[in-house]
Amino acid sequence: MKGSSSCFDTSTEKRASNAVISAGDRFGLLTVRCAVDEETRASRRRFECVCDCGNKVVVRAPSLYGKHTRSCGCLRFAAHAKTHGLSGTKEYDLLHKIKRRCLNSSDPAFQNYGGRGIEVAAEWLGQGGFERFFEHVGKAPSPHHTLDRIDNNRGYEPGNVRWATRAEQSRNTRRTVHIHAFGKTLPMTDWCAEYGLYRNAIRERMGYGWDMPRAIAERLVCAKVRRHRPPMLEACVVLSTSGSICFEHCPEGRSAGYIPDSAVLWEVLWDRREALGGVAHSHPGTGIPAPSHTDLSTFAAVECALGRRLTWWISSSTDTIALVWGGPDRLHYVAEQIHPEPDWVSRLRALSHINPRHENSQGDGTYDPGT
Amino acid sequence: MIQEHEAVLQITVNGEQGELPDPVHFDSGDGDIKAWATEAVRAGGIPGITPDPMADFSAYTVDRFPARDGKCNRLSLRPKVPFGG
């Protein structure tokens, strides 16, 4: 039968030009309705066709016979709908790269993968391979995760892959040094993280010929001492005219170099203004402390508000100074070293986590912030 | 009568405390508040505070207390008290 139901034939365009197309002939999903012009040359003739989806299209005769046109276009969409729709995703690219480095001997990384026997599971190859791969590994938890082989000597196969960050992966390479000590085996990085140790220190001690447990244990003693000593934090005490502490000020947010502004401290100063002797605060380090510009402007502001002068003490871990306004400039305070130190200094140092030292410096000075 | 968006401004200086006679906007900037307080204290316009022609609130800070328990909004101009840095 000429022309009818021939859309799946492998006829050439030349043969098609001699063929007769009639209304009702089917080519794929298209059914010919009528010719749209009076063209005599068969290769130029065009036909109006109705697709199974209901769309009407005009198609040249050779396209019908040559299988170039089998639908109004809906077949193309249908074909796309059959795929997983994950092309271009991180997971799709990943499987592509895995296959390349394991199976393609011209890949630069082949020697570290396929070249040393790392294979890709057969079920993750071929038709539907990506779907099965994706079903097993799932979506990457974050853009920073990559696929890690749990056992580095086994291939990419179900049960031997997991999502891991770069840091996690770096602990699971052939070069990772696993250390057995204290009844467990961990990468050196994990030992260092667990005990707050420096990796270079461990390496150095191993260089002495020590075994790993000893290298860790020796460092551990020092690390424990460090861990149990809290860091120095500046603290402040309010002192009455009798020289006793009437308020201890250790606000949240204080650091080794700063005590933040506090409405609470100001309220204490205002409420006790009648019997207020002064305010002391700690500084980090040793030697004779020096007031910062912040300290001096605070002294001046408080005295301005209270309408009277106070004494301001500053203590380091070795020395204590007392500052009083010397004028004439607003921020010109004169310092004098206090020796011996009053009793409350030890309490101030304790609040600051300072270990007291016994060697005091001697001397005094005047502090002028360059006004 | 103090409106919802207004506040009483309390000033502490020279050992004295007083309130600005007129309410100010609760959301006013610190710079504006300090400027108003400086003018008022220098001019002697605050009951309870002795006029001080040299008043300077540049090292002060503003605490803001929203209305609570039937009390109106309150602003407090007080000296800053940080140390170190």
Side-chain angles (χ1 to χ4, degrees):
Chain A
M1 192 172 83
K2 281 183 180 177
S4 64
S5 304
S6 57
C7 62
F8 297 113
D9 291 347
T10 54
S11 312
T12 62
E13 198 162 308
K14 190 174 179 182
R15 283 172 57 198
S17 65
N18 297 322
V20 174
I21 296 177
S22 319
D25 286 352
R26 278 186 64 80
F27 298 90
L29 303 183
L30 299 175
T31 304
V32 177
R33 285 188 63 189
C34 58
V36 295
D37 48 31
E38 296 300 321
E39 178 61 58
T40 53
R41 284 172 294 182
S43 62
R44 298 277 178 96
R45 294 187 70 189
R46 297 186 302 161
F47 293 90
E48 182 181 290
C49 305
V50 180
C51 185
D52 284 357
C53 70
N55 282 341
K56 289 179 185 175
V57 285
V58 174
V59 187
R60 284 175 61 235
S63 295
L64 290 172
Y65 276 111
K67 291 201 306 182
H68 297 307
T69 306
R70 293 186 294 154
S71 72
C72 66
C74 58
L75 262 184
R76 181 177 297 172
F77 293 117
H80 277 291
K82 282 180 188 173
T83 66
H84 43 71
L86 293 169
S87 300
T89 61
K90 178 186 178 76
E91 294 78 13
Y92 188 86
D93 291 346
L94 187 62
L95 181 61
H96 176 69
K97 287 173 184 168
I98 287 172
K99 288 195 284 191
R100 201 171 57 190
R101 61 192 180 223
C102 291
L103 306 174
N104 184 354
S105 59
S106 59
D107 187 274
F110 180 79
Q111 57 174 345
N112 290 322
Y113 290 87
R116 69 179 191 97
I118 303 300
E119 295 179 339
V120 186
E123 62 189 280
W124 292 350
L125 301 173
Q127 189 73 29
F130 173 73
E131 286 89 334
R132 290 187 288 276
F133 167 77
F134 188 73
E135 189 181 350
H136 182 76
V137 301
K139 194 166 167 52
S142 82
H144 306 295
H145 280 75
T146 55
L147 207 62
D148 180 39
R149 277 174 295 122
I150 297 165
D151 181 347
N152 273 308
N153 294 318
R154 285 168 54 198
Y156 291 96
E157 58 197 47
N160 193 43
V161 290
R162 65 181 171 196
W163 290 112
T165 61
R166 287 276 175 210
E168 289 164 348
Q169 280 215 46
S170 68
R171 292 174 181 166
N172 187 30
T173 71
R174 280 177 291 158
R175 295 186 300 277
T176 304
V177 180
H178 286 86
I179 303 163
H180 184 79
F182 312 120
K184 57 183 177 181
T185 302
L186 290 175
M188 186 192 278
T189 311
D190 287 354
W191 279 115
C192 293
E194 187 170 337
Y195 290 102
L197 305 173
Y198 294 105
R199 201 158 50 175
N200 285 346
I202 298 289
R203 284 207 183 106
E204 188 181 339
R205 282 167 187 264
M206 288 180 75
Y208 299 156
W210 295 9
D211 61 3
M212 192 53 69
R214 184 182 172 192
I216 289 175
E218 293 280 342
R219 292 297 300 169
L220 209 53
V221 173
C222 302
K224 271 184 180 169
V225 171
R226 273 204 307 274
R227 271 212 306 275
H228 288 94
R229 189 192 301 153
M232 185 272 170
L233 296 172
E234 280 196 12
C236 169
V237 292
V238 177
L239 297 155
S240 65
T241 46
S242 64
S244 60
I245 294 176
C246 56
F247 182 71
E248 295 176 348
H249 184 53
C250 303
E252 228 174 84
R254 65 182 175 140
S255 68
Y258 191 65
I259 300 173
D261 181 38
S262 162
V264 174
L265 178 59
W266 164 244
E267 279 175 22
V268 169
L269 297 176
W270 178 253
D271 291 346
R272 296 169 194 261
R273 62 188 180 279
E274 300 299 335
L276 195 60
V279 179
H281 75 278
S282 54
H283 270 193
T286 59
I288 299 174
S292 66
H293 188 272
T294 302
D295 292 338
L296 293 169
S297 59
T298 294
F299 302 164
V302 171
E303 289 177 354
C304 169
L306 293 177
R308 56 176 286 226
R309 297 292 172 184
L310 299 176
T311 303
W312 303 89
W313 291 274
I314 304 176
S315 292
S316 69
S317 61
T318 57
D319 296 87
T320 299
I321 58 167
L323 295 117
V324 291
W325 184 72
D329 187 85
R330 197 171 64 92
L331 299 184
H332 187 230
Y333 282 76
V334 179
E336 183 187 358
Q337 189 180 6
I338 304 298
H339 192 75
E341 291 179 331
D343 293 341
W344 52 259
V345 174
S346 57
R347 177 60 186 161
L348 176 62
R349 288 190 179 128
L351 293 172
S352 314
H353 310 150
I354 291 175
N355 287 330
R357 310 257 178 101
H358 298 293
E359 65 281 12
N360 283 54
S361 309
Q362 294 291 329
D364 55 55
T366 297
Y367 293 92
D368 190 327
T371 52
Chain B
M1 182 67 185
I2 295 188
Q3 305 292 312
E4 200 173 306
H5 63 279
E6 292 177 332
V8 170
L9 174 58
Q10 184 187 58
I11 300 164
T12 307
V13 65
N14 296 329
E16 298 171 324
Q17 263 185 353
E19 293 175 357
L20 210 63
D22 299 316
V24 299
H25 200 289
F26 186 62
D27 295 325
S28 302
D30 286 8
D32 289 339
I33 291 169
K34 287 179 190 178
W36 297 329
T38 305
E39 278 180 22
V41 172
R42 286 181 179 177
I46 300 180
I49 294 183
T50 311
D52 178 1
M54 302 299 286
D56 176 15
F57 297 106
S58 56
Y60 273 49
T61 189
V62 180
D63 286 334
R64 293 164 195 270
F65 304 98
R68 255 181 79 181
D69 304 329
K71 293 180 181 172
C72 60
N73 294 324
R74 219 161 54 81
L75 298 174
S76 173
L77 189 60
R78 63 156 177 93
K80 66 175 186 71
V81 281
F83 296 98

